[in-house]
Amino acid sequence: MSMFSTGILVLTSPLHVLPLRIAPVLTSAAQVVERTLYVHLHPGLNLSTGGQVRPVYIPPVVDLCALISRLYSNAADICAHLDVRVLLSNVRAQSVVLSGSSGPFPTPQTLSHSPEVVLTDFPIQDSGQSSLVTQCLQKYAGHCYVCNPTLSSVLLYPRLKEVEEDDDRGGSGAQLKPLETFSDVVVGGTFDRLHGAHKTLLNISCLMANRRFVIGVCDQELLKKKVLKELIEPYLKNHGIERLRALTDIVWPEIALLVKKRIKQAKEQGKRVCVVDAAVLLEAGWTYLVHEVWVATIPEEEAVKRIVQRDGVKEEDALRRLKSQWPNAQLIEHANVVLCTLWEPDVTQRQVLKAWNLLQQRIQKRQEEIRPSP
């Protein structure tokens, strides 16, 4: 099959079925598209009518957030070489839909890269439908987006029959829970190398915003000091821990998938030890990813002093930052190795070297225990 640089994938399966199909759909799409894959959502779209099908608004619901999270997670595992981008032009709140708007695409939208091929998961009942569905699909894509004049089309359904029996699971009449939305949504970060977790955060934040979505990108000074908690603390103060947790519940699983992938790569490269340097390893529940947890501690008063000196913040701000983290006692409860950085750097270095040498002994002992007897 021919390979195309850029494609657009039109997903038509009901929302309760799509999570089951994401993996095989992406696997098939990766055999056709090699660089950029746009994803257009239109659950329930019928491409077999023979007439002109129009895009419609779909409401932002919780299931849609779960689908987007699953999509980017699977993309990282299945087709990491692809730049997958979910398009949200036709996702609108019910109030906007009822305001008299004629539709999400009054004119075709221009994308960063013009699609050369359009793909779909639309189910074909018999091979005689292929030509009709193909024509309808191309017209639909051309109505929504500015595509390559020689746009090709690919029907993926013949490759997806392994999940066909799951179509009725959950029932098409299942109630979809509306997504809680807000007038303004603000996020911030370095966004250094835009990966799947970033895309998930940005997509779902966009769904949650009714009026304005603001993205704050760290400047050079903030990047140098690495004090990204200043971006989180105002959010905590104004909105509370529950709403912050709603975001971390989405982003942390995505980061965990990326960590697992890097660990797997290190193992395939023959690395003996892989170090996961993660400040929120315990809070995020990532201990299942590692064999041992090493914790570095320091008394609170010394920590406050160092934050004030390093970052130039007030003492009460430094203390508030520490209070939002796990206390030393709680960290130590989950630790296999505890280091203290209270003293001079050379003292800490000696602690680390001793801990590292003891780790090598434990690794050697484990290998001897699992080595089969002659």
Side-chain angles (χ1 to χ4, degrees), residues 162-231:
E162 62 267 26
V163 295
E164 185 176 8
E165 63 272 13
D166 295 315
D167 281 10
D168 294 329
R169 187 178 298 177
S172 59
Q175 292 293 319
L176 297 177
K177 182 180 178 182
L179 178 68
E180 185 179 10
T181 58
F182 306 90
S183 175
D184 302 288
V185 173
V186 180
V187 298
T190 61
F191 298 104
D192 179 23
R193 190 181 65 82
L194 195 65
H195 51 64
H198 287 135
K199 293 179 180 179
T200 300
L201 172 64
L202 296 175
N203 275 173
I204 296 178
S205 297
C206 186
L207 292 177
M208 296 171 65
N210 287 329
R211 187 179 69 92
R212 185 177 61 159
F213 176 30
V214 179
I215 303 172
V217 180
C218 301
D219 61 20
Q220 294 180 352
E221 198 63 29
L222 191 56
L223 283 172
K224 185 190 301 183
K225 292 186 176 182
K226 299 291 184 180
V227 275
L228 302 182
K229 285 189 175 291
E230 274 80 356
L231 299 173

Side-chain angles (χ1 to χ4, degrees), residues 41 63-73 86 88 199-200 203-204 207 254:
L41 301 168
D63 291 41
L64 191 58
C65 293
L67 172 64
I68 291 173
S69 179
R70 173 76 70 90
L71 196 152
Y72 282 125
S73 297
V86 178
L88 301 175
K199 293 179 180 179
T200 300
N203 275 173
I204 296 178
L207 292 177
E254 299 300 317

